Amino acid sequence: KDGEVVDCEENPVGFRTIEFNPDKGFFLNGNYMKMHGVCLHHDLGASGAAFNKDAARRQVEIMKEMGVNAIRFAHNPPAREYLDLCDEMGVLAIDELLDIWELPKNKNDYSRFFPDWHAKDTASWVRRDRNHPCVIMWSIGNEIYDTHKDGRGLEVAKALRDLVLENDPYGNAGITIGSNFMPYPNAQKVADELKLAGYNYAEGLYDEHHKKYPDWFIYGAETASTVRSRGIFRFPVEMPVLSFEDLQCSDLGNSVVGWGKSAEQAWIDDRDRPWCGGQFIWTGIDYIGEPTPYSTKNSYFGAVDTAGFPKAAFWFYRAVWHKTAEPFIKLFPHWDWNTGQLIDVIAYSNAEEAELFLNGKSLGKQTINLEKGKELRYTWRVPFERGTLEIKAYKNGTEVASDCKKSFGDAVNIVTESKEYGDLTFTKICVTDENNIPVENARNRIAVNGDLIGLDSGDSTDYDSYKKHGGSFSKRLFSGQLLAISRGKVEALFSKDEIPLRKIELSADSLMFNKSNKQIKINTKLFPENADYKDIKWRCILDTGTSAELAKIIESDNSSALVEAVSDGSFKLRATCKNGKEHPEIISELDMTIEGIADATKNPFMFIHSGRYDISYAPLKIIEHGAVSGVNGIKTLAGFKNVNFGKNKTRSLRLFLGTTSYYDEVPVEVHLGDVKAGTARLLETLSFPRNNLHYDFAPYDFTLSEELTGKHDLCFILDRRCVFGGFEFINKRAFEPVYAGENDEVYGDNYTANERRIENIGNNVILKFNELDFSANGVNKIIISGFAPKGNSISLKFNEQTHMIEFAKSDEYQTQEFWVANPKGINDVSFVFLPGSDFNFEWFKFGYE
């Protein structure tokens, strides 16, 4: 109070017995257990001025329904009322003080005040909260760079620990820290001082550190960081993509940030180590700010969204954490797609056998083992057809639970469901079609009347205000749902202000291209038909979201697109609509295949996104701009098939990486061939220097020890955390001597060819050289080595541009120089020898002055 420490309560009270056992885990009131925890990231300070206890009670209740028994409040002390709720509702708490010590993370952060205020703030924090039986740990910091940089971090950690002990003399809670620097010795020294070691995204160190530091109590202070948008689904499920035009993430769990991992794997890492105290997933609930991986308004990390509506992950955690939950099974996704589209169907359940049915036909039974298995959800890949998708869960052969998804039409009814918390009413608003089936992809704008406090759909891309003072207020549904917070009942109506689009339906007579069917027309149907927005854009993409060069769109409009096959392979045709926003909001896809057209090759002299990889040990995480993220801790393979240098020869490789401040350099192995198939050889090991680009990438040029030419598979192995943007080779062929014998094509009446020269060139001979790179500056001269006994006219063609060159009479090979116009970029070059020619051609090269 006014800078002075006030002792609010003299006598601490004990309500529980806790022990942090390095060998057995967490001990509470006579039982060993795991902390099934979530991080809650709220800017709710000690004053509690903006805190509503009734709203928080709903949040804690939702978390308990998911199976949560512990909350880590990150990264500042929570409002005291939140701890009151944890006491009352039986939820354990990690009470955290700081995200900053002496070294700043941002210009105006707490580091400015740390020297003068850390002792007073620590005392105030501990004395305020030390009598809450829910508080089991005091966290003195989160991801503190001081603990990594030098020994000063250890000194500060000791000082903060002593301050906590001084103000919690009875040891009501242990002292811990959450660290992302645990691979490094200075952070380990801090953890060794505290003994309660919280690991942020470093489960790979658990076994090694448990053996090395047998007296440590190890737990996951932050785990998972799977990003999801409720009700948004991306296929295939095994492809971890973070780069969609609608700025949403996949609720199937296949959107994982570079430093994180899937919910299932993070749980397995905890489950299979009985001595591990548990895990705190990042996060329980979405929060405003930190809109990773997109620049929107709020995060995507939560198991529930900002409105409190469960995402699919909620049901996974309920299955593995909520030990007393009634049998259940939860099926995803909704059942409204394009006919023939390949849909990954998943289900979470606490039952260990399930069977899927499509329109009454069984698609097979599956089993999972939640206690020991590696597969913790049911998965099927199903070509979409309209109707009913149903799943049944069994125990000992008896059906114990079921769930189903039905195809639906446009919304015609509004359905509300309300629940009161104190003086607040939380009303869930949904819509159904004419058959009362929920419309799970509805985007309708809903007008709400009543004593409103706010509306929220959980959509990170929705910038409509949460509040409006007085009168009716409206907001769009997101994935068919909307939340109204009010005092008393509300009335919900379809708004007449706009009619948003909910679906682009794609159809085609065939999804397979071949030699007799090189072009296919794809038609659209929009739902609802009277939607205000019909701006359809088209793309051909790979599963990674990067552009697919094996097909191209010949013509398109809002109603259809004509697609032409270029080379063999599989791709997705994607149609998008902005739906009144600045970015696309509606995405629709069809899976298409090309066979028997041509082998697909990659041009190494044009930038190749790493997202176009063909070879890997496991699916790689794709982020914005087609880059690969998450190369961290293990060697990561990204390989590219059929990289075609043609007759060009080059040693100049340009790599695009983003590297972190943790390393001075990132080793990159370059292999010729397919590493995974065992047919490669190591070509070079390069050292990419640090550039401090954590989520972006920049180029760096290397000269290889060996020239590359012809067609090859090419593999890169990266050994440290980085972002791999892609690569290209610099084609210097045009600016160095190119021998006539290295042509891509030669034909005509008379000529004699050897390895380097084309001699005795007579009537109507053409030498063609494909894809010479003249760079952005272009060229303005050519030097030719040859001899012409009588002199010779040569017609030089750049793509469609023609120049006439007069090579003077010579008795032996000599070089002659000629000025040409200024062609730029990639050009096919032809030398055309007219009737009456008599020429001997050794080499040529271009230049620029």
Side-chain angles (χ1 to χ4, degrees):
K1 180 179 180 181
D2 298 328
E4 296 182 6
V5 174
V6 178
D7 190 352
C8 299
E9 298 187 38
E10 285 288 344
N11 301 309
V13 226
F15 286 90
R16 78 285 188 264
T17 302
I18 59 172
E19 176 187 343
F20 304 101
N21 191 306
D23 295 318
K24 298 181 179 180
F26 181 64
F27 181 86
L28 174 68
N29 290 344
N31 295 294
Y32 282 102
M33 56 176 282
K34 281 187 178 289
M35 294 179 285
H36 301 153
V38 295
C39 299
L40 289 188
H41 190 43
H42 291 297
D43 293 326
L44 299 173
S47 69
F51 188 82
N52 187 294
K53 191 172 182 179
D54 292 328
R57 182 183 298 278
R58 174 176 176 264
Q59 291 181 329
V60 177
E61 184 178 283
I62 292 169
M63 292 294 96
K64 288 195 68 178
E65 289 174 2
M66 189 171 77
V68 165
N69 63 17
I71 296 173
R72 177 187 174 209
F73 292 101
H75 301 292
N76 49 267
R80 66 181 70 199
E81 294 91 342
Y82 224 131
L83 295 180
D84 291 338
L85 285 171
C86 290
D87 289 342
E88 174 190 338
M89 300 175 75
V91 177
L92 306 175
I94 294 182
D95 199 347
E96 192 157 87
L97 178 63
L98 296 170
D99 196 40
I100 304 291
W101 290 356
E102 293 178 335
L103 299 179
K105 294 180 181 178
N106 293 292
K107 181 179 178 181
N108 295 316
D109 61 28
Y110 185 79
S111 62
R112 297 178 298 157
F113 310 111
F114 187 90
D116 297 328
W117 280 93
H118 73 277
K120 299 172 185 177
D121 287 344
T122 301
S124 178
W125 164 56
V126 173
R127 287 174 179 247
R128 190 200 72 168
D129 295 346
R130 66 188 181 184
N131 291 316
H132 283 282
C134 67
V135 177
I136 58 170
M137 280 190 256
W138 307 108
S139 175
I140 59 174
N142 171 73
E143 299 187 350
I144 303 295
Y145 184 55
D146 315 46
T147 65
H148 171 60
K149 184 180 180 183
D150 53 38
R152 173 64 182 160
L154 179 59
E155 295 178 30
V156 175
K158 290 179 179 179
L160 288 171
R161 176 203 58 192
D162 293 344
L163 285 166
V164 172
L165 292 174
E166 179 183 332
N167 290 281
D168 182 22
Y170 291 86
N172 282 355
I175 302 170
T176 188
I177 191 170
S179 179
N180 60 333
F181 296 107
M182 294 302 284
Y184 310 107
N186 287 334
Q188 291 176 31
K189 292 176 183 177
V190 172
D192 197 39
E193 194 69 30
L194 301 177
K195 303 303 182 184
L196 305 186
Y199 287 66
N200 290 11
Y201 315 106
E203 296 94 325
L205 297 172
Y206 283 2
D207 293 335
E208 174 192 340
H209 284 191
H210 181 55
K211 183 177 180 180
K212 185 177 180 181
Y213 304 104
D215 57 340
W216 285 14
F217 174 81
I218 290 174
Y219 70 98
E222 278 183 35
T223 66
S225 270
T226 304
V227 283
R228 298 173 182 253
S229 299
R230 175 184 52 79
I232 303 296
F233 306 98
R234 308 298 192 210
F235 315 110
V237 70
E238 68 270 11
M239 184 58 64
V241 179
L242 292 163
S243 57
F244 284 89
E245 298 99 319
D246 63 351
L247 309 182
Q248 303 288 0
C249 302
S250 175
D251 206 7
L252 294 176
N254 51 329
S255 294
V256 182
V257 294
W259 61 88
K261 60 178 62 174
S262 70
E264 291 86 349
Q265 187 56 54
W267 165 239
I268 289 171
D269 291 341
D270 175 15
R271 179 199 68 185
D272 292 350
R273 293 164 176 81
W275 42 264
C276 179
Q279 64 169 333
F280 292 83
I281 64 168
W282 189 267
T283 56
I285 303 173
D286 282 346
Y287 53 93
I288 297 174
E290 286 196 320
T292 307
Y294 307 109
S295 297
T296 54
K297 69 175 184 181
N298 60 259
S299 78
Y300 299 73
F301 293 110
V304 305
D305 63 23
T306 53
F309 297 142
K311 305 179 188 179
F314 175 97
W315 301 99
F316 165 70
Y317 288 113
R318 183 172 174 84
V320 296
W321 283 356
H322 202 312
K323 301 300 182 183
T324 60
E326 291 293 318
F328 77 91
I329 193 162
K330 197 70 175 177
L331 185 63
F332 299 95
H334 62 71
W335 205 236
D336 186 34
W337 303 95
N338 297 312
T339 299
Q341 183 178 356
L342 296 177
I343 307 301
D344 289 298
V345 175
I346 69 168
Y348 293 115
S349 178
N350 54 4
E352 297 194 349
E353 185 178 24
E355 186 174 11
L356 186 68
F357 299 85
L358 177 57
N359 294 326
K361 180 182 178 181
S362 175
L363 301 183
K365 285 186 177 181
Q366 294 183 12
T367 60
I368 56 175
N369 186 331
L370 297 177
E371 299 300 325
K372 297 180 180 179
K374 300 299 183 183
E375 297 296 328
L376 302 181
R377 65 184 185 184
Y378 300 102
T379 60
W380 287 264
R381 181 159 291 163
V382 183
F384 176 78
E385 63 179 66
R386 289 187 64 82
T388 299
L389 191 71
E390 184 179 16
I391 194 164
K392 297 180 180 181
Y394 304 99
K395 184 175 181 179
N396 298 325
T398 301
E399 182 181 336
V400 293
S402 66
D403 193 17
C404 77
K405 298 290 183 181
K406 294 183 178 182
S407 299
F408 45 79
D410 292 331
V412 296
N413 307 305
I414 295 178
V415 179
T416 62
E417 179 184 331
S418 298
K419 189 170 183 179
E420 294 182 357
Y421 291 85
D423 65 347
L424 297 181
T425 299
F426 291 81
T427 302
K428 177 182 175 181
I429 301 170
C430 303
V431 291
T432 62
D433 68 5
E434 61 183 2
N435 297 313
N436 293 319
I437 301 171
V439 184
E440 296 186 54
N441 58 14
R443 298 272 184 167
N444 303 74
R445 181 169 288 277
I446 304 296
V448 184
N449 299 314
D451 188 3
L452 273 177
I453 293 173
L455 294 177
D456 187 15
S457 66
D459 181 1
S460 299
T461 71
D462 181 2
Y463 291 93
D464 285 354
S465 174
Y466 293 108
K467 293 184 174 184
K468 185 178 181 182
H469 297 290
S472 176
F473 187 30
S474 70
K475 204 172 187 68
R476 282 187 185 183
L477 298 168
F478 178 61
S479 295
Q481 296 184 6
L482 179 66
L483 177 74
I485 307 172
S486 62
R487 292 183 177 87
K489 293 183 179 180
V490 297
E491 178 188 27
L493 305 167
F494 289 109
S495 173
K496 298 179 181 180
D497 292 341
E498 68 168 352
I499 303 175
L501 189 68
R502 68 171 179 87
K503 179 187 178 183
I504 307 167
E505 185 171 279
L506 304 179
S507 62
D509 291 337
S510 173
L511 302 179
M512 171 71 77
F513 296 85
N514 52 43
K515 285 186 177 180
S516 60
N517 190 31
K518 293 186 67 175
Q519 293 186 347
I520 294 177
K521 184 179 181 181
I522 289 84
N523 298 305
T524 67
K525 186 175 181 180
L526 305 184
F527 293 91
E529 291 184 3
N530 62 340
D532 292 331
Y533 310 105
K534 300 178 181 180
D535 49 313
I536 309 301
K537 303 297 181 185
W538 302 85
R539 287 181 64 203
C540 298
I541 61 165
L542 303 175
D543 285 344
T544 60
T546 54
S547 295
E549 297 181 355
L550 43 78
K552 58 184 178 180
I553 296 169
I554 302 299
E555 56 186 48
S556 66
D557 55 28
N558 293 340
S559 62
S560 65
L562 184 63
V563 183
E564 183 174 272
V566 176
S567 57
D568 294 355
S570 298
F571 71 100
K572 293 179 183 292
L573 179 70
R574 177 180 291 177
T576 63
C577 177
K578 289 186 176 180
N579 215 22
K581 292 191 172 183
E582 293 183 359
H583 59 82
E585 183 176 70
I586 306 298
I587 293 178
S588 184
E589 295 177 342
L590 268 181
D591 301 282
M592 310 195 80
T593 304
I594 306 172
E595 290 183 356
I597 301 295
D599 289 339
T601 61
K602 298 178 180 68
N603 181 357
F605 302 113
M606 299 181 70
F607 178 67
I608 297 176
H609 291 95
S610 55
R612 291 179 61 194
Y613 75 89
D614 308 291
I615 305 165
S616 66
Y617 292 132
L620 304 176
K621 300 171 187 175
I622 309 299
I623 60 173
E624 289 185 283
H625 312 302
V628 168
S629 177
V631 182
N632 186 16
I634 60 172
K635 289 188 175 183
T636 298
L637 167 65
F640 304 83
K641 286 185 174 294
N642 294 329
V643 180
N644 191 6
F645 295 86
K647 294 189 177 181
N648 300 291
K649 296 180 180 179
T650 182
R651 295 181 178 178
S652 301
L653 169 64
R654 179 171 291 159
L655 279 178
F656 294 77
L657 264 66
T659 62
T660 73
S661 57
Y662 303 151
Y663 313 110
D664 290 329
E665 49 82 28
V666 170
V668 181
E669 297 177 10
V670 183
H671 294 257
L672 213 57
D674 185 339
V675 169
K676 192 174 181 181
T679 58
R681 64 180 175 88
L682 178 63
L683 184 66
E684 205 93 41
T685 299
L686 309 173
S687 179
F688 196 102
R690 181 179 69 199
N691 57 21
N692 292 332
L693 296 174
H694 291 247
Y695 310 115
D696 204 349
F697 52 84
Y700 194 85
D701 290 352
F702 299 91
T703 300
L704 303 179
S705 58
E706 180 180 327
E707 281 187 336
L708 297 182
T709 188
K711 186 163 64 176
H712 301 278
D713 293 342
L714 197 62
C715 289
F716 300 91
I717 295 181
L718 303 101
D719 195 18
R720 290 184 182 165
R721 177 177 174 179
C722 65
V723 171
F724 181 24
F727 69 96
E728 65 184 10
F729 284 83
I730 310 303
N731 187 354
K732 297 183 178 179
R733 182 184 181 195
F735 299 95
E736 297 175 350
V738 180
Y739 286 91
E742 296 174 347
N743 63 79
D744 294 288
E745 192 173 359
V746 58
Y747 53 90
D749 294 344
N750 299 291
Y751 62 87
T752 302
N754 59 42
E755 185 176 350
R756 290 196 165 189
R757 295 173 175 172
I758 304 292
E759 297 181 316
N760 303 316
I761 297 174
N763 296 343
N764 302 319
V765 174
I766 298 176
L767 276 72
K768 189 176 181 182
F769 300 82
N770 296 332
E771 296 184 342
L772 297 186
D773 189 353
F774 295 155
S775 78
N777 291 326
V779 298
N780 59 14
K781 69 176 182 179
I782 183 172
I783 302 170
I784 297 177
S785 174
F787 83 84
K790 301 176 183 179
N792 212 95
S793 297
I794 304 172
S795 179
L796 177 63
K797 294 184 66 175
F798 304 98
N799 291 340
E800 299 304 320
Q801 191 176 22
T802 301
H803 298 269
M804 190 61 69
I805 290 173
E806 299 295 337
F807 195 96
K809 176 182 176 181
S810 59
D811 295 327
E812 59 184 15
Y813 278 98
Q814 64 177 231
T815 60
Q816 296 183 23
E817 187 172 308
F818 307 92
W819 294 100
V820 297
N822 188 220
K824 300 177 180 180
I826 306 296
N827 282 259
D828 293 338
V829 175
S830 296
F831 296 86
V832 181
F833 295 89
L834 304 175
S837 290
D838 183 9
F839 191 72
N840 301 278
F841 199 171
E842 185 176 28
W843 56 261
F844 68 92
K845 71 174 181 178
F846 288 94
Y848 180 80
E849 290 184 1

